[in-house]
Amino acid sequence: MNYPRVLCLGEILFDCLAERSGLALEEVKSWTPYPGGAPANVACALVKLGNSAGFIGAVGGDELGNSLVQVLQERGVDTTGVQRHPTAPTRQVYVLRNEMGDRFFAGFGDANTAEFADTHLIAAQIPEVLFENADFLVLGTLELAYPDSREAIEKAIELAEKYDVKIILDINWRPVFWQNPQEAKSLIKKLFTKIDFLKLSEEEAQWLFETTDAGAITYRLHSPEGVLVTAGDKGCSYCISENEGKIPAFKVDIEDTTGAGDGFVAGFVSQLCKVGIQNLADAEVTKKVVTYASAVGAMTAMKPGAISAQPSAAEVEAFLYLYKNY
């Protein structure tokens, strides 16, 4: 059996996008469901970029869960780590967009955030064999909000350390997912001693470190091999293997920013798989890696839907060729 090189652990769900951008919640008459969830988005994007990836998470034993597993399988994502909960429903999240395509979470309908299947990912059921054969583990922080999935994150980190799997943490801070948002910061910070790469938005950097300087964050954490701070249309900054730099944002027509950050993460991890972490000591290699990640993120924002908008490796190369003098 061929095992995936990259594992992505966390939530998979349906993003239900408002019929049009610029509407207030009470004005929305219909919603269009798109498969999503940050770790699932990353897994799908990695496969489309030519990498082997597996998803670890929980869905309900309902039709929504069936359809999401089918989406993963159709895109070539390994689903060995998918768990099915017999009673909890598969999560749906309602998303509003402003005229610029930026998204705002409008909640989960009538359900409580802790009632969904993804909160019940069971640590003991995570297949250890996946970690024996993987090189990278991608994590978010939403699962820290719930006891079962928090334990699953701890187990995954334990397995990653056992088998020398590099850990990439995308903060992906979403207060609406937390029953007690005040406990989030301390739980997130506990992960920092365990990870190898940290990706966070400018707002998340300010919230957690009171600075958006990637170098300063790296210095405070002591241990990571790289920190990346994304800032939307202002581009991103990074400090990787002591190489610091800034990449301007690609100027594209934005349709929907849902999944753009996940595309960035997938582009980054895809390049780690290609060039090898040891080569990040070269400043030019690092710059190209982050530029590639930025391109994938920008291209994902040009179409609606986090997964359906993801580019192929050939499309990214063509995009970068057009912008080679950018």
Side-chain angles (χ1 to χ4, degrees), residues 25 65 112 114 131 185 289 324 326:
L25 178 60
N112 181 287
F131 290 81
K185 185 179 289 188
V289 166
K324 64 181 178 180
Y326 178 74

Side-chain angles (χ1 to χ4, degrees), residues 63-81:
E63 282 306 311
L64 291 177
N66 293 339
S67 60
L68 288 174
V69 173
Q70 184 176 354
V71 166
L72 292 174
Q73 292 173 340
E74 287 176 349
R75 280 160 176 74
V77 175
D78 184 288
T79 56
T80 305

Side-chain angles (χ1 to χ4, degrees), residues 8-57:
C8 302
L9 185 151
E11 71 281 358
I12 185 169
L13 47 79
F14 275 103
D15 287 312
C16 298
L17 270 60
E19 58 191 289
R20 298 199 321 271
S21 58
L23 296 178
L25 178 60
E26 60 274 11
E27 298 175 313
V28 180
K29 292 184 172 59
S30 64
W31 305 84
T32 302
Y34 290 94
N41 294 341
V42 174
C44 289
L46 279 164
V47 172
K48 196 161 185 182
L49 292 171
N51 309 274
S52 59
F55 175 73
I56 300 172

Side-chain angles (χ1 to χ4, degrees), residues 5 136 271-281 285 289:
R5 189 174 181 189
F136 300 99
Q271 289 296 289
L272 292 185
C273 291
K274 181 178 180 179
V275 307
I277 291 176
Q278 70 278 5
N279 289 317
L280 295 177
V285 170
V289 166

Side-chain angles (χ1 to χ4, degrees), residues 6-320:
V6 184
L7 303 176
C8 302
L9 185 151
E11 71 281 358
I12 185 169
L13 47 79
F14 275 103
D15 287 312
C16 298
L17 270 60
E19 58 191 289
R20 298 199 321 271
S21 58
L23 296 178
L25 178 60
E26 60 274 11
E27 298 175 313
V28 180
K29 292 184 172 59
S30 64
W31 305 84
T32 302
Y34 290 94
N41 294 341
V42 174
C44 289
L46 279 164
V47 172
K48 196 161 185 182
L49 292 171
N51 309 274
S52 59
F55 175 73
I56 300 172
V59 297
D62 48 23
E63 282 306 311
L64 291 177
N66 293 339
S67 60
L68 288 174
V69 173
Q70 184 176 354
V71 166
L72 292 174
Q73 292 173 340
E74 287 176 349
R75 280 160 176 74
V77 175
D78 184 288
T79 56
T80 305
V82 174
Q83 300 175 19
R84 308 298 295 265
H85 196 282
T87 57
T90 299
R91 187 185 296 270
Q92 297 183 87
V93 56
Y94 294 88
V95 183
L96 300 172
R97 293 171 291 163
N98 64 17
E99 297 292 354
M100 301 298 293
D102 295 321
R103 59 183 176 163
F104 304 90
F105 291 102
F108 309 101
D110 297 328
N112 181 287
T113 184
E115 295 176 358
F116 294 101
D118 58 273
T119 71
H120 298 294
L121 181 64
I122 305 302
Q125 296 178 21
I126 295 176
E128 184 168 346
V129 67
L130 292 176
F131 290 81
E132 291 179 35
N133 295 276
D135 292 321
F136 300 99
L137 169 65
V138 179
L139 293 174
T141 64
L142 298 186
E143 287 64 45
L144 293 175
Y146 316 102
D148 287 344
S149 52
R150 186 185 310 151
E151 186 179 341
I153 282 188
E154 293 169 356
K155 178 65 175 180
I157 290 174
E158 176 187 312
L159 291 172
E161 292 177 334
K162 179 178 179 180
Y163 294 106
D164 195 25
V165 177
K166 297 293 185 181
I167 300 174
I168 299 95
L169 177 66
D170 180 5
I171 297 300
N172 199 30
W173 164 239
R174 301 287 183 262
V176 70
F177 281 78
W178 291 73
Q179 290 183 299
N180 182 12
Q182 288 71 36
E183 69 177 0
K185 185 179 289 188
S186 62
L187 289 172
I188 290 170
K189 285 186 173 182
K190 287 180 181 179
L191 297 184
F192 291 159
T193 60
K194 305 290 186 179
I195 63 173
D196 298 284
F197 294 93
L198 175 65
K199 180 265 181 187
L200 63 174
S201 70
E202 194 174 49
E203 295 80 9
E204 291 163 348
Q206 192 65 47
W207 175 56
L208 290 166
F209 298 99
E210 297 182 348
T211 180
T212 60
D213 187 289
I217 294 171
T218 303
Y219 178 77
R220 291 185 195 180
L221 294 181
H222 302 295
S223 61
E225 299 192 33
V227 171
L228 303 106
V229 180
T230 56
D233 60 6
K234 292 184 288 184
C236 77
S237 61
Y238 62 89
C239 180
I240 299 173
S241 293
E242 299 185 355
N243 295 312
E244 293 190 53
K246 293 186 177 181
I247 303 294
F250 289 97
K251 298 187 184 303
V252 298
D253 293 328
I254 303 297
E255 173 70 20
D256 174 23
T257 59
T258 304
D262 307 326
F264 179 95
V265 173
F268 178 70
V269 177
S270 177
Q271 289 296 289
L272 292 185
C273 291
K274 181 178 180 179
V275 307
I277 291 176
Q278 70 278 5
N279 289 317
L280 295 177
D282 185 314
E284 281 304 308
V285 170
T286 296
K287 183 179 180 180
K288 288 180 179 178
V289 166
V290 181
T291 300
Y292 187 96
S294 298
V296 178
M299 295 179 75
T300 304
M302 294 170 67
K303 299 176 183 177
I307 293 175
S308 56
Q310 292 167 347
S312 67
E315 289 170 333
V316 179
E317 293 299 336
F319 179 88
L320 287 170

